[in-house]
Amino acid sequence: MKQLVILSGKGGTGKTTVAAALAHLASQEFSLVLADADVDAANLELVLAPTLEETHEFHSGQVAVIDPETCIACGRCAEVCRFDAVVAGEGYRVDPLACEGCATCFYQCPVEAIRMEEQHAGRWFVSNTRFGSLYHAHLFAGQENSGKLVTLVKQMARLRAMDDVADLVLVDGPPGIGCPVISAVSGADLALIVTEPTVSGVHDMARILATTTHFQTPALVLLNKTDLSPARAGEIIAYCEQQGTPVLGQLPFSDDVPQALVRGQPVTAYSGGPVAMALQDAWARLREALFSDEV
Amino acid sequence: MPITWAWGAAAVTAAGVASRDTRRHAIITSQVRYRMQIAIASGKGGTGKTTVAVNLALSLSGAGERLFFLDCDVEAPNAALFLQPTLTEHRDVGQQVPRVDPARCTACGRCAEVCQYHAITVIGQQVLVFPELCHGCGSCTLNCPTGAISEVFDKTGVLERGQAGAITFGQGVLDIGEAQAVPVIRQLKQWVAPSDDEAAIVLLDAPPGASCPVVETLRDADMVLLVTEPTPFGLHDLRVAVEVARDELGLPVAVVINRDGMGDAGVETYCAAEGIPVVLRIPFRRAIAEAYADGIPLIEAQPAYRVAFRDLYTTLAQLATAGKNRQPASGGVA
């Protein structure tokens, strides 16, 4: 079983478009389990027409709550809190959005007026799609611990893949390089970095490549909207060459992508146009990279 | 949920209140008398947050206001590529992590017991610290019965500050392999943003998503501008962003539709149903995408947008003011 994670650094470069297309193409010869690791803004479900099978609650993190009856307003909680989460007014209260759940105030309160309340932070789901089971999640607005939810979704997807003796776990990653990305990269055999030839795309690709290198995950680059700026595309290719990172392929800027999206389909299922053809070519090479050592 | 408004003291003077109705042009042509913080956010990545924030800043630059631009997308900071600031000040950012003095440590395990992040653990007689899990809360230090724990600075990123023309620019850059963006954002705002009662316009370029780094960026904003694209992805993630900005934080929100004409009418229908004003539409044009690719700001590539962005600011200032005048606890624009 192989685990592939799709990343980008910069958002909106086409991670989910590529993930859906690869799910479509890969499912024609392999058995898959899919995981959407962008728990803030999960979009893979929008192009895979899933049927929801299971819903689970995600409890994680905690916030401090001060009982006004017991509180003697000594101010010790406000003094020890490093996150400015204790608000003084008539007595003291905790701003749940600022609270990091560290429980420092809980341990320091001399009259035990503070309790820690576990947060109902989100939900995770198992759905069925025509390309394989999909594990996805929704972290509630403003919650912490997106990394934990990403880890949970991936673990569940992986367990399912082991049960089903699946060939590939395909993980659609979040943007950025921080906590949820680190969780998404963990355990991956290969990272596919989707980038675009813009000044931001070049900058953020370098940061995500440094991140995959840091975690010793081999990476390949897929250049999306490649004809938008031949100069930036050249920069990206030169950078990848210098880093020893193979460029898997180049996708043209095309209206097929939003059109497929509006119809809720992977672009490879919607059209046989240049983007779909380039993705087929990219998949053929990716297949080599993933499975060649198993043949 | 009660909301603390970071609304400058000057705004509630008689003069400030009287000027609100006639502010439409006064905002641009005379000095603002309070701090106006506008966060530019999105939910979905790559919808054009930085494009909108940068062009808004450039359109206001030179209008006589004190103008601040903070790039709070510390995982993928891009605004400097367009604003080209001269970064003159640099500061390491990070947090205090525990260091255990083995001479005083009795391996009692109290530190591990109080740590909510599993960042410190005791194995046999040895205490292990995992700085990447530590939130720097100081609970272990306070609870250690023998005073064996002191704290040392653990760098997780850098803050940079400088000028881009008349714009005071600041950005945070999270180090590679570091997980926690929130402390970097928090310290960036403390270092660069003016205080509540200073008269200035502050633009906060937020990270994508809807979790803790977004909340840290938006927390004390007066107004949140949500940039989206008219596709099912854009709509789905716009809903999530509205949940954070309007429903959780109680802030007024408005929408910019970027790449207008690209997909379907879902975003327009949603905004109309929710009563969320659509304050700017930027059409889906290859020429706009190409200028962006080469780092050329829209108002330079297409100068007609300079006026559009100035008008955008005026509209946002009015919406922020209307949001303030409403009962804060109810939150949002109806």
Side-chain angles (χ1 to χ4, degrees):
Chain A
M1 182 179 69
K2 295 290 181 177
Q3 187 171 319
L4 171 71
V5 62
I6 301 175
L7 301 169
S8 69
K10 173 168 162 48
T13 59
K15 277 183 302 297
T16 302
T17 294
V18 169
L22 291 179
H24 170 231
L25 297 172
S27 68
Q28 293 167 6
E29 33 180 341
F30 296 103
S31 62
L32 307 187
V33 175
L34 307 162
D36 191 338
D38 188 354
V39 299
D40 281 23
N43 288 155
L44 194 53
E45 66 202 63
L46 300 176
V47 275
L48 297 182
T51 323
L52 186 65
E53 287 187 333
E54 295 171 30
T55 300
H56 303 267
E57 305 305 321
F58 173 64
H59 293 273
S60 178
Q62 48 188 3
V63 297
V65 179
I66 301 173
D67 173 19
E69 301 291 311
T70 321
C71 176
I72 54 167
C74 67
R76 178 67 180 155
C77 49
E79 196 183 300
V80 298
C81 178
R82 293 189 181 174
F83 308 109
D84 298 326
V86 181
V87 185
E90 283 179 40
Y92 289 86
R93 63 173 190 84
V94 175
D95 174 356
L97 288 167
C99 178
E100 297 216 0
C102 69
T104 304
C105 57
F106 168 83
Y107 285 107
Q108 291 293 311
C109 177
V111 292
E112 296 183 11
I114 300 176
R115 66 181 188 278
M116 300 304 296
E117 280 187 356
E118 193 178 54
Q119 296 293 289
H120 180 202
R123 292 198 175 91
W124 63 275
F125 315 98
V126 187
S127 293
N128 193 23
T129 81
R130 60 193 162 121
F131 309 130
S133 298
L134 169 66
Y135 286 73
H136 49 136
H138 172 51
L139 187 73
F140 294 153
Q143 286 288 333
E144 295 186 19
N145 292 313
S146 55
K148 276 190 192 168
L149 185 53
V150 169
T151 301
L152 178 67
V153 163
K154 278 183 48 191
Q155 264 172 0
M156 292 301 164
R158 216 182 145 74
L159 287 174
R160 175 64 168 266
M162 282 156 81
D163 283 351
D164 294 0
V165 201
D167 303 304
L168 178 64
V169 178
L170 180 59
V171 181
D172 187 13
I177 64 162
C179 149
V181 173
I182 293 171
S183 300
V185 171
S186 147
D189 296 291
L190 188 64
L192 178 60
I193 296 171
V194 182
T195 186
E196 61 178 33
T198 63
V199 291
S200 314
V202 177
H203 176 262
D204 298 343
M205 178 198 66
R207 283 172 66 74
I208 188 67
L209 253 182
T211 305
T212 53
T213 305
H214 180 90
F215 292 103
Q216 297 175 347
T217 305
L220 301 171
V221 165
L222 182 61
L223 188 44
N224 193 12
K225 309 175 199 170
T226 186
D227 47 334
L228 210 51
S229 167
R232 304 295 159 204
E235 263 178 58
I236 288 175
I237 290 164
Y239 183 85
C240 290
E241 219 160 79
Q242 181 206 329
Q243 298 290 314
T245 305
V247 175
L248 186 68
Q250 302 185 38
L251 314 179
F253 187 77
S254 163
D255 196 41
D256 284 356
V257 173
Q259 290 309 317
L261 169 52
V262 165
R263 286 162 183 80
Q265 287 185 24
V267 66
T268 42
Y270 163 72
S271 136
V275 174
M277 284 166 65
L279 276 161
Q280 280 166 7
D281 184 48
W283 162 243
R285 296 189 197 198
L286 186 61
R287 183 186 184 285
E288 267 313 282
L290 275 168
F291 296 106
S292 57
D293 59 325
E294 289 191 353
V295 177
Chain B
M1 177 182 311
I3 301 295
T4 310
W5 293 103
W7 185 237
V12 295
T13 62
V17 171
S19 70
R20 279 182 189 151
D21 294 340
T22 54
R23 188 165 285 160
R24 186 169 164 78
H25 294 291
I27 286 285
I28 296 297
T29 55
S30 74
Q31 302 282 316
V32 286
R33 283 173 291 277
Y34 47 84
R35 187 180 72 169
M36 173 63 73
Q37 289 211 115
I38 298 173
I40 296 94
S42 72
K44 174 168 161 48
T47 56
K49 278 182 302 298
T50 301
T51 296
V52 169
V54 160
N55 284 286
L56 191 55
L58 291 173
S59 75
L60 294 168
S61 173
E65 314 297 351
R66 288 181 70 212
L67 191 57
F68 291 77
F69 189 108
L70 274 66
D71 191 343
C72 297
D73 187 358
V74 303
E75 295 180 44
N78 291 144
L81 299 169
F82 298 89
L83 289 173
Q84 303 279 335
T86 308
L87 297 169
T88 47
E89 290 176 81
H90 307 263
R91 173 185 281 196
D92 285 348
V93 63
Q95 60 192 6
Q96 299 297 116
V97 301
R99 184 162 62 186
V100 181
D101 176 0
R104 281 199 267 179
C105 175
T106 60
C108 70
R110 179 68 176 158
C111 51
E113 188 186 311
V114 300
C115 178
Q116 305 297 301
Y117 311 111
H118 311 291
I120 189 162
T121 187
V122 183
I123 296 170
Q125 289 302 300
Q126 187 145 26
V127 182
L128 296 176
V129 175
F130 303 97
E132 66 280 9
L133 298 176
C134 179
H135 284 222
C137 69
S139 197
C140 56
T141 314
L142 284 168
N143 284 291
C144 176
T146 60
I149 300 179
S150 58
E151 293 178 27
V152 289
F153 179 75
D154 179 52
K155 177 178 174 287
T156 59
V158 289
L159 303 181
E160 297 175 311
R161 183 160 79 169
Q163 288 295 127
I167 304 165
T168 301
F169 178 89
Q171 67 175 3
V173 184
L174 184 70
D175 283 348
I176 300 297
E178 290 292 341
Q180 296 178 42
V182 170
V184 182
I185 299 168
R186 185 187 297 135
Q187 290 173 53
L188 172 69
K189 289 171 80 176
Q190 284 166 357
W191 190 44
V192 181
S195 62
D196 292 3
D197 55 355
E198 283 180 75
I201 298 169
V202 183
L203 301 177
L204 304 164
D205 191 4
S211 58
C212 38
V214 175
V215 170
E216 192 59 38
T217 305
L218 268 48
R219 271 177 73 182
D220 51 1
D222 298 300
M223 166 86 221
V224 182
L225 184 58
L226 298 170
V227 184
T228 188
E229 62 176 36
T231 64
F233 288 176
L235 173 60
H236 178 271
D237 299 347
L238 173 63
R239 286 174 187 273
V240 173
V242 169
E243 272 182 44
V244 177
R246 187 189 66 181
D247 304 340
E248 282 286 317
L249 293 166
L251 298 171
V253 296
V255 163
V256 172
I257 299 180
N258 192 13
R259 302 177 195 131
D260 189 30
M262 174 197 225
D264 57 18
V267 168
E268 294 274 4
T269 309
Y270 166 77
C271 289
E274 290 283 319
I276 298 171
V278 177
V279 289
L280 182 68
R281 293 174 179 82
I282 302 171
F284 183 43
R285 294 275 182 278
R286 196 185 167 98
I288 293 177
E290 285 175 353
Y292 172 84
D294 287 327
I296 302 164
L298 180 56
I299 67 171
E300 283 171 21
Q302 305 206 4
Y305 277 96
R306 185 172 291 272
V307 178
F309 275 97
R310 284 199 173 192
D311 287 349
L312 173 64
Y313 176 75
T314 309
T315 307
L316 295 178
Q318 284 174 331
L319 288 167
T321 307
K324 297 299 175 194
N325 288 344
R326 205 170 299 246
Q327 178 51 246
S330 70
V333 281

